[in-house]
Amino acid sequence: MEFQMFMNDVVQAARQDMDQAGYEQLQSAEEVEETLNQSGTTFVVVNSVCGCAGGIARPSAAYMKNYEVQPDRFVTVFAGQDKEATEKARSYFTGYPPSSPSFALLKDGELKAMVERHEIEGHEPIEVVNKLESYFDEHFKK
């Protein structure tokens, strides 16, 4: 029971990080479909409880809320927690295997760029931010 209480705390802290950064949490397949099918641009963070999510992905995601080029929507799904929402989001990431944490950039529901776990884990947050900034500039600039 102690482990489960610990994991609940870890999950809650990971969710709170994304809330505080200003991301909308999509917790059902219906919410994902409704959001990702909207016209415009969407930045999706696939959150997780691993160390690279907490030390690299979530801080990078928080930084991107302050970047000069902005998508229309900042959203997140939580791998291993909101399973149907995550599965639905991944159905939009054609050509990429499941990866968490990860980032996806969509325009009008179509995947434009993806940053997978292997591009996050073992990298410095600034490297991830630089990659995201280049993708934001390429795909989200109005």
Side-chain angles (χ1 to χ4, degrees):
M1 192 62 168
E2 284 183 32
F3 178 76
Q4 188 59 44
M5 288 174 57
F6 169 76
M7 285 308 297
N8 288 342
D9 289 346
V10 170
V11 168
Q12 186 57 34
R15 286 188 189 279
Q16 201 168 37
D17 284 349
M18 297 308 294
D19 285 342
Q20 289 173 346
Y23 283 71
E24 178 185 357
Q25 292 195 43
L26 305 178
Q27 296 183 288
S28 71
E30 294 77 22
E31 288 175 328
V32 170
E33 189 168 9
E34 180 181 316
T35 301
L36 299 189
N37 283 331
Q38 292 180 34
S39 63
T41 54
T42 307
F43 181 55
V44 181
V45 177
V46 180
N47 196 2
S48 75
V49 296
C50 70
C52 65
I56 303 166
R58 288 194 299 273
S60 298
Y63 175 85
M64 294 312 293
K65 285 289 288 190
N66 300 304
Y67 189 57
E68 62 188 58
V69 176
Q70 297 279 291
D72 297 314
R73 289 167 293 283
F74 287 89
V75 301
T76 183
V77 294
F78 205 133
Q81 301 301 311
D82 302 321
K83 294 177 183 177
E84 291 177 3
T86 303
E87 184 178 327
K88 186 58 154 178
R90 287 176 171 157
S91 75
Y92 287 80
F93 310 157
T94 54
Y96 292 90
S99 177
S100 60
S102 62
F103 303 104
L105 293 79
L106 292 96
K107 185 171 187 177
D108 299 328
E110 180 183 333
L111 183 68
K112 295 298 180 181
M114 189 86 194
V115 178
E116 299 174 89
R117 179 188 177 107
H118 70 85
E119 298 171 280
I120 299 168
E121 184 178 33
H123 295 272
E124 293 297 320
I126 192 64
E127 294 174 285
V128 175
V129 164
N130 287 338
K131 182 175 285 224
L132 291 172
E133 285 177 345
S134 71
Y135 285 151
F136 273 43
D137 289 343
E138 181 180 351
H139 299 290
F140 293 163
K141 202 162 221 154
K142 306 244 188 264

